[in-house]
Amino acid sequence: MQLVVARIGRAHGIKGEVTVEVRTDEPELRLAPGAVLLTDPPSAGPLTIATGRVHSSRLLLRFEGVTDRTAAEALRNTLLIAEVDPDELPEEEDEYYDHQLIDLDVVTADGVEVGRITEISHLPSQDLFIVERPDGSEVMIPFVEEIVTEIDLAEQKAVITPPPGLIDDRAEIASSRDDSAAEDDSAAEDHSATEDDSA
């Protein structure tokens, strides 16, 4: 499957380097020298990473065949897309890629259907499942060990033990979606969600 791993920003210097907005939790893997990436728009690529370095907390990349500022600036706002094996798992045992969690059924420990995961919200403090309930409403469920007790990819379900008030009507919170993100709907963000140890 295809995952968006970065968006190219402005040119840096005069030798073809560009800044990139990283959209992957594994830049050392996805954005390493030698990596060949598809692009959106497709006409800009594929691009092969020649060099990469961090400068002032920003990742700078240079691509093979892009040797001056003009060529680098022409790539601005291009999305970089990696081909990833859909069965690939993150290195940490309690981490999952977003695409593995999307569409999982959410059920309580005693088998009550809660809904289906439609989105993962990555917040600084923790990750949240955005769950669409059977009536079309949405509820946010913190992806923490105390609440999400099991992720069963084989059975395509997430088992939760919600505290009182989390999934009743008073706790439903509509998801605020950012529809202004300019990215291809066919390519997913390459983030991994981590089950936190604390609520």
Side-chain angles (χ1 to χ4, degrees):
M1 70 179 300
Q2 295 183 344
L3 298 175
V4 175
V5 294
R7 183 180 67 84
I8 297 176
R10 66 181 186 278
H12 178 85
I14 61 172
K15 296 183 179 180
E17 282 187 314
V18 294
T19 62
V20 293
E21 174 190 320
V22 177
R23 297 189 181 181
T24 173
D25 292 327
E26 300 175 313
E28 68 285 349
L29 174 65
R30 308 292 182 201
L31 301 173
V36 180
L37 301 168
L38 302 177
T39 60
D40 180 13
S43 58
L47 294 171
T48 301
I49 297 176
T51 63
R53 65 188 179 98
V54 176
H55 175 73
S56 298
S57 300
R58 295 295 301 269
L59 179 61
L60 301 179
L61 297 180
R62 188 174 58 78
F63 302 101
E64 291 183 5
V66 179
T67 57
D68 59 40
R69 187 178 183 88
T70 301
E73 193 62 37
L75 294 173
R76 190 167 187 167
N77 293 324
T78 297
L79 294 179
L80 299 176
I81 301 169
E83 284 281 1
V84 178
D85 183 340
D87 295 326
E88 180 181 328
L89 295 173
E91 292 182 1
E92 297 296 326
E93 185 176 342
D94 62 346
E95 287 189 352
Y96 301 89
Y97 290 126
D98 285 7
H99 71 266
Q100 295 173 304
L101 300 171
I102 298 296
D103 287 333
L104 291 188
D105 293 322
V106 178
V107 297
T108 62
D110 53 4
V112 176
E113 178 186 4
V114 177
R116 179 180 60 87
I117 299 174
T118 58
E119 182 182 343
I120 312 296
S121 179
H122 298 280
L123 303 179
S125 58
Q126 65 188 11
D127 297 318
L128 294 174
F129 292 163
I130 310 302
V131 177
E132 182 178 320
R133 307 190 71 173
D135 64 3
S137 62
E138 292 182 326
V139 62
M140 292 183 178
I141 297 177
F143 187 23
V144 294
E145 193 172 57
E146 292 81 358
I147 297 174
V148 182
T149 58
E150 180 185 0
I151 298 291
D152 189 333
L153 296 180
E155 294 291 328
Q156 287 291 287
K157 69 179 181 180
V159 179
I160 66 170
T161 305
L166 180 64
I167 59 175
D168 63 19
D169 291 341
R170 294 184 304 277
E172 288 176 6
I173 306 171
S175 169
S176 59
R177 300 173 186 272
D178 183 4
D179 295 327
S180 64
E183 70 181 52
D184 188 351
D185 291 338
S186 66
E189 294 278 339
D190 183 26
H191 286 292
S192 61
T194 305
E195 188 169 14
D196 201 344
D197 294 333
S198 59

